[in-house]
Amino acid sequence: MATTATPSAAPTRRRFLSPWSIGALLVGALIALPIMTVLAQVFVPSGGAWAHLSATVLPLYLRNSLLLVILTVGMASAIGVGAGWLIAGFDFRGRGVLQWALMLPMTMPGYVIAYVYFDRLAYSGPIQSTLREVFGWGRHDYWFPKIAATTGAALLLALVLYPYIYLLTRAAYASQSLHLIEAARALGHSPRGAFFRVALPMSRPAMVAGAAFVAMETLADYGTVQHLGVQTLTTGIFRTWFARGEPVAAAQLAAMLIGFVALALVLERMLRGTRRYVGDPAGRSATAARHRLKGWRSIAVIALCLVPILLGFLFPVVELGRLTILVGDPMWGPRFFAFASNSLMLAAMAAAVLLALGLFLGYARRMDGGRVVRATLGIAGIGYAMPGAVIAVGVLLPLSWADQSLDTWMRASFGVSTGLLLSGSYVGLIFAYSVRFLSISLNTIEASLERIPPSLDDAARGLGSGPARTLMTVHFPLLRSGLLSAAIFIFADVMKELPATLIVRPFNLDTLAIRTYRLA
């Protein structure tokens, strides 16, 4: 339940920048560099390309993007919030397996599930072809859901993005105070009533953070909407930049996309407001208050949990397995395992770096909620909604300039050529991942920090613990579930990331995503 905000551990007014603000400023400057590099193109004349876009396809891009975000967030929230409560609030046979199986759709790239469902459900696919053959129908004799549409794209994206909301809300439900739920039950509320009156309001920060992830991932999606023929701002950026050769107009579209992301972040902060939703410092979690289900109720809950797993993971995997058996991959063997090891290594490196950055920025906001820190948090969230190719270009331009400048200086001073040290390197690739996915780490850790009562900070400070010791001995154990959720999100997203990896990667470094792209 919402309570009036109490002062956090240390946000006091300072005349000069604190070490937290300076560190946050440095991180924010690095994250903003690729974004500002792209946005700098906005002030360059587009030669009439922008006027042409505004008069023709821009209204369509805006309408489809807005509708896609609304539908995807709505459907993903319904699945994620409902599944999170069923797992956290009820005890039934198979619960232990389902609580992890519900995360499996997150491993499915949106463009892959779009390919599978379009292949099965399109007019020329086997389902509609069988219906026409059995009943003798023509094209206009029956109605069939259209998968290649905005609603179809939103449904498919919701099936693979709902775990963002499910994981955060499940963790929030599990950490809620037991006595509040018991009080609601003692006052005559059913489990459903306790959910809507107590559990759901207390989980609002986690739900908002998860919905923000889904909205930004939807705005940045390219493969799904491109395969289904839905024209959004992202497809417009790719088409304008790489097909029409108009980088200035594409940068202006990217600036508009960044504006939408900034608006989403502002709304997310406003929805959190100045209230705090803290757990039980005594550690009595809601897990002890699970309602035991038997009979048909247990079967119904299991069926509800299985639906998103079947649609978002099992059916695509079975279909891909069928295609593997029929066609196969001629490069299966040592080269495949090399692709897999590259993907795993990059995902692990990115997860470690981003967890450290997210933990630092989230803790900086708790210790020093000044304007510099708040501005940095806003900048950190923008990159997540930018297409990977746009971020890759924004990363390569300054890194190439730095390499060329260093090489010129070394040649002039020592007669030695340094070559490319940053461009096309692991450093550049991790940098691109940091710009793209820092919001995942930051939002997840912030939502977890908000559930830690400020009184614990005061108690630790009263016992002589500094910020670092308080973080390691008090906060870190309470943040483990949030850190694990953030690590899973980052790992899965880096494994699936294609455009940034393809453009910034070191020479001859292939991943599973790149292999999939080349086969397609």
Side-chain angles (χ1 to χ4, degrees):
M1 117 184 341
T3 60
T4 304
T6 59
S8 59
T12 58
R13 291 185 178 272
R14 294 179 175 87
R15 189 172 181 177
F16 302 102
L17 292 177
S18 68
W20 296 105
S21 297
I22 295 174
L25 186 62
L26 293 175
V27 174
L30 286 175
I31 298 300
L33 179 60
I35 300 173
M36 298 308 297
T37 301
V38 174
L39 291 182
Q41 300 293 320
V42 172
F43 302 100
V44 179
S46 61
W50 177 254
H52 175 72
L53 289 174
S54 301
T56 54
V57 293
L58 183 58
L60 178 64
Y61 292 162
L62 294 175
R63 183 173 65 251
N64 286 344
S65 298
L66 181 61
L67 181 60
L68 185 66
V69 168
I70 293 174
L71 292 176
T72 303
V73 170
M75 287 187 281
S77 297
I79 299 173
V81 172
W85 171 244
L86 292 177
I87 293 297
F90 297 92
D91 193 11
F92 51 91
R93 186 182 298 273
R95 177 190 165 277
V97 175
L98 289 174
Q99 70 173 341
W100 294 107
L102 282 163
M103 295 187 297
L104 292 175
M106 186 172 59
T107 64
M108 184 66 59
Y111 53 86
V112 172
I113 196 173
Y115 169 77
V116 170
Y117 275 93
F118 183 80
D119 181 67
R120 297 288 91 186
L121 301 180
Y123 179 80
S124 58
I127 296 178
Q128 292 200 55
S129 298
T130 301
L131 289 175
R132 292 193 301 272
E133 182 178 348
V134 171
F135 296 100
W137 290 339
R139 174 181 290 270
H140 302 292
D141 294 334
Y142 68 100
W143 177 87
F144 197 84
K146 188 177 181 181
I147 195 68
T150 305
T151 52
L155 177 59
L156 296 182
L157 286 173
L159 286 174
V160 297
L161 295 179
Y162 81 84
Y164 287 99
I165 300 176
Y166 161 71
L167 271 176
L168 293 178
T169 53
R170 190 193 72 183
Y173 295 146
S175 66
Q176 286 171 5
S177 180
L178 170 60
H179 66 82
L180 292 177
I181 298 177
E182 288 178 336
R185 298 289 298 275
L187 291 173
H189 288 289
S190 63
R192 184 176 63 178
F195 167 71
F196 284 106
R197 297 296 297 272
V198 177
L200 190 62
M202 287 186 66
S203 304
R204 196 175 79 169
M207 287 188 296
V208 171
F213 289 156
V214 173
M216 289 186 287
E217 186 72 25
T218 302
L219 282 172
D221 178 79
Y222 173 72
T224 306
V225 292
Q226 191 272 341
H227 188 76
L228 297 180
V230 180
Q231 299 187 55
T232 63
L233 282 171
T234 307
T235 60
I237 291 170
F238 273 77
R239 186 177 295 111
T240 304
W241 194 323
F242 298 104
R244 298 177 181 173
E246 296 286 351
V248 175
Q252 292 170 343
L253 283 175
M256 182 172 291
L257 185 59
I258 292 174
F260 279 116
V261 179
L263 178 61
L265 291 173
V266 170
L267 291 176
E268 189 258 351
R269 298 290 176 185
M270 291 175 60
L271 286 174
R272 289 194 192 185
T274 59
R275 292 173 286 182
R276 297 293 182 267
Y277 302 78
V278 299
D280 187 358
R284 300 185 304 163
S285 68
T287 56
R290 291 197 191 110
H291 184 67
R292 180 69 180 175
L293 296 179
K294 297 180 180 180
W296 69 269
R297 289 184 175 86
S298 176
I299 296 175
V301 169
I302 293 174
L304 289 174
C305 292
L306 283 176
V307 169
I309 301 172
L310 291 172
L311 297 179
F313 181 77
L314 291 180
F315 174 73
V317 166
V318 170
E319 179 62 16
L320 292 175
R322 185 186 68 86
L323 294 176
T324 300
I325 295 173
L326 292 178
V327 181
D329 184 355
M331 286 192 176
W332 174 262
R335 292 196 63 183
F336 171 83
F337 293 106
F339 301 151
S341 64
N342 290 336
S343 297
L344 293 172
M345 177 187 63
L346 289 173
M349 291 170 58
V353 172
L354 287 167
L355 283 179
L357 291 175
L359 186 60
F360 171 78
L361 292 177
Y363 204 62
R365 183 173 185 264
R366 187 178 183 91
M367 300 302 298
D368 180 358
R371 294 181 179 179
V372 174
V373 176
R374 294 198 302 268
T376 301
L377 300 185
I379 294 172
I382 293 177
Y384 190 59
M386 293 185 67
V390 175
I391 290 179
V393 172
V395 166
L396 282 180
L397 289 177
L399 292 186
S400 299
W401 176 85
D403 280 337
Q404 292 172 6
S405 299
L406 178 61
D407 184 70
T408 301
W409 181 77
M410 290 294 291
R411 284 175 180 271
S413 302
F414 304 100
V416 177
S417 175
T418 57
L420 299 178
L421 297 178
L422 299 177
S423 304
S425 67
Y426 287 101
V427 174
L429 193 52
I430 297 300
F431 183 26
Y433 290 152
S434 298
V435 177
R436 178 79 170 84
F437 300 120
L438 180 56
S439 178
I440 299 177
S441 174
L442 180 58
N443 281 9
T444 306
I445 292 173
E446 271 201 293
S448 299
L449 278 171
E450 286 191 355
R451 298 200 304 269
I452 299 177
S455 59
L456 295 182
D457 301 62
D458 298 335
R461 190 168 59 250
L463 293 173
S465 296
R469 186 176 179 185
T470 301
L471 172 63
M472 296 305 299
T473 59
V474 178
H475 294 147
F476 193 80
L478 299 174
L479 290 173
R480 280 182 297 185
S481 62
L483 290 173
L484 179 61
S485 297
I488 293 173
F489 292 157
I490 296 167
F491 195 92
D493 272 339
V494 173
M495 288 285 290
K496 296 184 293 184
E497 173 59 35
L498 173 63
T501 307
L502 189 63
I503 296 173
V504 187
R505 66 192 170 103
F507 178 73
N508 208 28
L509 177 74
D510 285 342
T511 64
L512 291 175
I514 294 175
R515 177 60 179 159
T516 302
Y517 166 76
R518 287 180 171 173
L519 288 175

